Amino acid sequence: MLRFALPVGATGARCLRHAAATARPAIKVALRSAPTTAAPATRMSTKATAAAASFSSMRAGAASRMRQFAQRWGQRARFSSGTASTAGESAAAVEPLSHPIIGKWFLFSSSLVFTIVVVGGITRLTESGLSITEWNVVRGMAWPSSAEAWEVEFNKYKESPEYKLLNHSITLGEFKNIFYWEWLHRNLGRTIGMVFLVPALYFTFTRPSAARIAKALGTSTANPAVAARWMSPGVTKAAWTCCVLVGFQGALGWYMVKSGLENDILDHANATPRVSQYRLAAHLGSAFVIYVISLWNGLQVLGKWNTGITNNGVNAERAAVSQLAPEILAKCRKFARSVHGVAGLVFITALSGAFVAGLDAGLVYNTWPLVGDSFIPPSSELFRRIQKTSINGNATMAPVDPNETVTPLMLFQDQRWKNIFENPVTVQLDHRLLAYTTLASVSAMWVASRRLPLPKPVQLAAHGVMGFALAQATLGITTLLYFIPIELAAAHQGGSLALLSSAIWLMHKAKHAIPK
């Protein structure tokens, strides 16, 4: 009997079944070709010999093909297994890094977001946000180029509550001025969307060439596998999060503008045509979130690349801090955690500023440090009875009763708690108190940084936060005392983002230098 040396195991069994299935038709053909009728002995002997020889030849050929197939299959299986094992070991051995160009892309995008926040502030201060009464993503990009086009836009604006209640005597030339700021704001938003989306698509679905990887690594001894992709998985998620948030931000912007176009404001006595302060705060907060994500990831990408590639994984600052005494190291870690709290306070204070802007609360009391004649206005003025609120956040409140004393339980009666968001006096006081708290927190953090043996970059970043906090407080007070001039108010809004940027920078430096 003819025997074959075949692989064992599951792979060998599959090879035998495949080879048998391949050889079976040929064997059947050979058997059918053998004679089945009686014939002379000589003739039968000759034919039988030929058939046996043919059958043996086919069997030998089939066995040879089975052996070759099994060998190739076994080599392929061993190669696949080895490749998967090597790839798994390589992925486990190195942490992927994002290329420096990704960090620069994030930082450039964050600068555009910073710009649009300032432009949005100017748009709000010049009362230009309601000049375009439609939301056309594509057609809205065009600037009106003819007298007829301007008349069409102007006639649309004449249907808005702002024109009917506030700007009914505005001329076409004056309308063009406010139209410009809203048009610029919207098109800058479209530009930011493309700046995020197009590179995100390219960097996600392409890979850097071997030459690009070699050039990026330079003389570094790092494993080339760390730069096999443009973006690490975490940074890829951050990039697409920004893309989604930018799209959401555009829709939220129109949702905000739409609140200022509702005609129900015409039914409220002494109402002011403006967008809802709630939606304005959400719009500003969303912009701040996009800015923080892009700025943080830009700093982190460049910082990690500098440590992992430029310095070949050597973090001298963290190594020095790790050598400190345990009690000092614990204080350094506590300092690093406190920076997150300061950044959160800056963010919340900026959001409260959106309520101040939405309600024109900066025009209520233009005195400092007193609010009118006292540090805290009377409770009857802070927590008035709210009768109804329009879609755009205009509250119809009961007259102030000087003899009324509001108790904590009364805050939940007649919607008094909504004064925190809808009463201009209360909103301005909220912003002042939050600003004082933020300044005090920054000062305490700065004092702590002076008492700890922190690396020089961390100390410089702490000095920066302290400096920006003082500048922002000065801007806020000056803007209030001078009755909210556009230049100072726009600088104050930009200053809030600059202060938040300095806090993010300090967080980045603290994370780089202080081990967890």
Side-chain angles (χ1 to χ4, degrees), residues 297-337:
N297 280 276
L299 295 175
Q300 286 294 99
V301 165
L302 294 179
K304 288 182 177 180
W305 185 272
N306 185 61
T307 300
I309 305 301
T310 306
N311 296 332
N312 290 316
V314 177
N315 188 338
E317 295 169 2
R318 177 169 291 192
V321 174
S322 300
Q323 300 302 317
L324 296 173
E327 61 274 11
I328 301 299
L329 182 58
K331 292 181 179 180
C332 290
R333 288 169 175 163
K334 183 178 180 181
F335 168 81
R337 291 191 297 269

Side-chain angles (χ1 to χ4, degrees), residues 10-330:
T11 303
R14 285 195 299 269
C15 295
L16 284 172
R17 287 196 296 270
H18 180 82
T22 304
R24 191 178 294 115
I27 295 173
K28 288 182 178 180
V29 171
L31 291 175
R32 283 198 300 269
S33 66
T36 56
T37 57
T42 304
R43 187 177 179 183
M44 287 181 60
S45 176
T46 303
K47 289 184 177 181
T49 302
S54 176
F55 180 72
S56 298
S57 176
M58 285 188 293
R59 264 183 102 173
S64 177
R65 287 193 295 272
M66 287 170 63
R67 190 180 298 108
Q68 293 174 1
F69 178 80
Q71 290 174 350
R72 289 196 302 270
W73 186 270
Q75 291 173 357
R76 181 179 180 183
R78 287 192 299 273
F79 176 78
S80 299
S81 176
T83 302
S85 176
T86 302
E89 293 172 0
S90 176
V94 298
E95 178 186 358
L97 295 176
S98 300
H99 282 243
I101 192 174
I102 303 300
K104 296 174 183 177
W105 166 49
F106 270 114
L107 293 181
F108 175 71
S109 301
S110 68
S111 69
L112 290 179
V113 177
F114 189 104
T115 302
I116 199 173
V117 168
V118 175
V119 171
I122 297 174
T123 302
R124 174 72 189 90
L125 290 164
T126 56
E127 298 181 347
S128 305
L130 299 176
S131 58
I132 301 179
T133 60
E134 294 179 341
W135 190 44
N136 295 312
V137 178
V138 178
R139 289 190 294 115
M141 297 174 62
W143 177 261
S145 56
S146 63
E148 292 77 11
W150 277 114
E151 283 297 332
V152 170
E153 295 296 335
F154 194 26
N155 288 333
K156 292 177 183 177
Y157 178 68
K158 289 179 179 179
E159 299 298 321
S160 68
E162 184 178 68
Y163 177 84
K164 296 175 181 178
L165 295 177
L166 188 65
N167 290 340
H168 50 270
S169 61
I170 191 175
T171 64
L172 179 60
E174 293 170 331
F175 171 72
K176 289 182 179 181
N177 290 332
I178 63 173
F179 185 94
Y180 166 77
W181 282 109
E182 177 64 8
W183 178 86
L184 176 63
H185 185 60
R186 294 192 184 193
N187 277 287
L188 188 54
R190 294 183 178 97
T191 302
I192 291 173
M194 297 306 295
V195 168
F196 271 110
L197 180 60
V198 175
L201 289 170
Y202 177 80
F203 291 134
T204 301
F205 297 106
T206 65
R207 298 289 181 269
S209 64
R212 182 61 183 259
I213 294 174
K215 182 179 179 181
L217 295 178
T219 58
S220 174
T221 58
N223 188 336
V226 302
R229 293 173 176 264
W230 289 110
M231 298 187 289
S232 65
V235 173
T236 301
K237 292 178 182 178
W240 284 103
T241 299
C242 285
C243 291
V244 172
L245 285 176
V246 169
F248 170 76
Q249 175 74 338
L252 184 59
W254 169 245
Y255 181 64
M256 175 191 70
V257 170
K258 192 172 182 295
S259 68
L261 302 175
E262 300 289 347
N263 288 318
D264 76 321
I265 191 178
L266 301 175
D267 300 328
H268 288 249
N270 301 319
T272 303
R274 56 192 172 210
V275 300
S276 166
Q277 68 272 21
Y278 296 102
R279 302 183 191 183
L280 176 63
H283 190 52
L284 181 65
S286 178
F288 272 45
V289 170
I290 297 171
Y291 178 78
V292 168
I293 293 175
S294 54
L295 177 62
W296 175 257
N297 280 276
L299 295 175
Q300 286 294 99
V301 165
L302 294 179
K304 288 182 177 180
W305 185 272
N306 185 61
T307 300
I309 305 301
T310 306
N311 296 332
N312 290 316
V314 177
N315 188 338
E317 295 169 2
R318 177 169 291 192
V321 174
S322 300
Q323 300 302 317
L324 296 173
E327 61 274 11
I328 301 299
L329 182 58

